[in-house]
Amino acid sequence: MPIPFSAQVINMCAALLLLIAFAMLSQRRVLSLINLFALQGLILAVSTTVVAYSSNQHHLYYSAALTLLLKAIVLPVILYKLIHKLDIRWDVETMFNIPTIMLVGLLLVVFSFNLAAPISQMAGTITKSTLGIAMATVLLSFLMMITRSKAVPQVIGFLAMENGLFFAATSATYGMPMVVEMGIALDVLIGMFILGIFFFQIRTAFDSLDLAHMEKLKED
C-alpha cells in the first residue's frame, strides 16, 4: 500500500527535526544554535499544517500559526537581541567532548525508537510512525541542555525540548487543546523575558554567563 503524500511530508519533517537536533548537539556557536532553533520552529509549523490538512483537524492550523509566530520569529528575535547586548558569539565549553556527546545521542535515538514502538502500534494517528523521532528530539535537546556550561545554550536546549514535546503531542494525539497551547506559549514567552533579565544579572555579577560561577557561590 503506497504511503500518502501528506504522510511522506510529515516523515520528511520528522527526519529534518532529528537532523537539526543532532546539529544543535554538535554546534559550538551560539548564533548558529539560534538559527537552528528558528529552523526547527519553521519545520514544526509546516509539519503541523500538513497534519491539520490531512486529518481535518482545524484547530491545528491555529497551532501551526502560533508555532510559526512564536518559535520561528519572536523567540529567535529575542535571543538575537540578548546575545547582541551580552556580546556572546561562541560557546566553546562543553562538559564532554563533542564525539562523546554525539555517541550518547545515538544511543538515545535507539532507546527512543525502542520505547516508542509499542506506543506507536496503539496510536491511531497518521503521524504515529514519527513518535520515536519526536521522543528522540526531546532527549537530544535535553542532552544538549545538560552538557553545556553556559546559560544561553542551556535555555535554547530547553526551548528545543519543548518543540520536541509539541511534536510528540502532535504525533500521538493530534496536539493539545488550544487553550493549553496558548497557555504554554504565554508561559514560554514570559519565561524568556525573565531569563533575559537573569542573564544580565549573571553577567553583571560575574562578568560571564558560565554557570560554574553559580556553583562556586553556592559552595561559599
Side-chain angles (χ1 to χ4, degrees), residues 6 10 36 73 86 99 107 128 133 139 155 168:
S6 58
I10 294 168
L36 288 170
I73 300 174
L86 293 169
L107 294 176
K128 61 182 181 180
I133 294 180
L139 293 179
V155 170

Side-chain angles (χ1 to χ4, degrees), residues 48-61:
T48 305
T49 302
V50 176
V51 173
Y53 174 78
S54 58
S55 63
N56 202 30
Q57 300 285 331
H58 297 293
H59 73 278
L60 287 178
Y61 287 115

Side-chain angles (χ1 to χ4, degrees), residues 14 23 30 41 51 57 68 103 117 119 132 144 154 160 178-179 186 210:
V30 176
V51 173
Q57 300 285 331
L68 180 64
L103 180 60
I119 305 174
M144 188 194 87
Q154 288 185 352
M178 193 63 196
V179 174
L186 182 61
D210 194 330

Side-chain angles (χ1 to χ4, degrees), residues 185-215:
L186 182 61
D187 288 344
V188 170
L189 193 58
I190 293 174
M192 277 303 305
F193 283 110
I194 295 174
L195 286 170
I197 297 171
F198 181 60
F199 292 158
F200 282 105
Q201 292 292 333
I202 295 177
R203 170 57 67 85
T204 302
F206 302 108
D207 196 31
S208 172
L209 287 177
D210 194 330
L211 294 184
H213 295 298
M214 300 294 289
E215 294 294 329

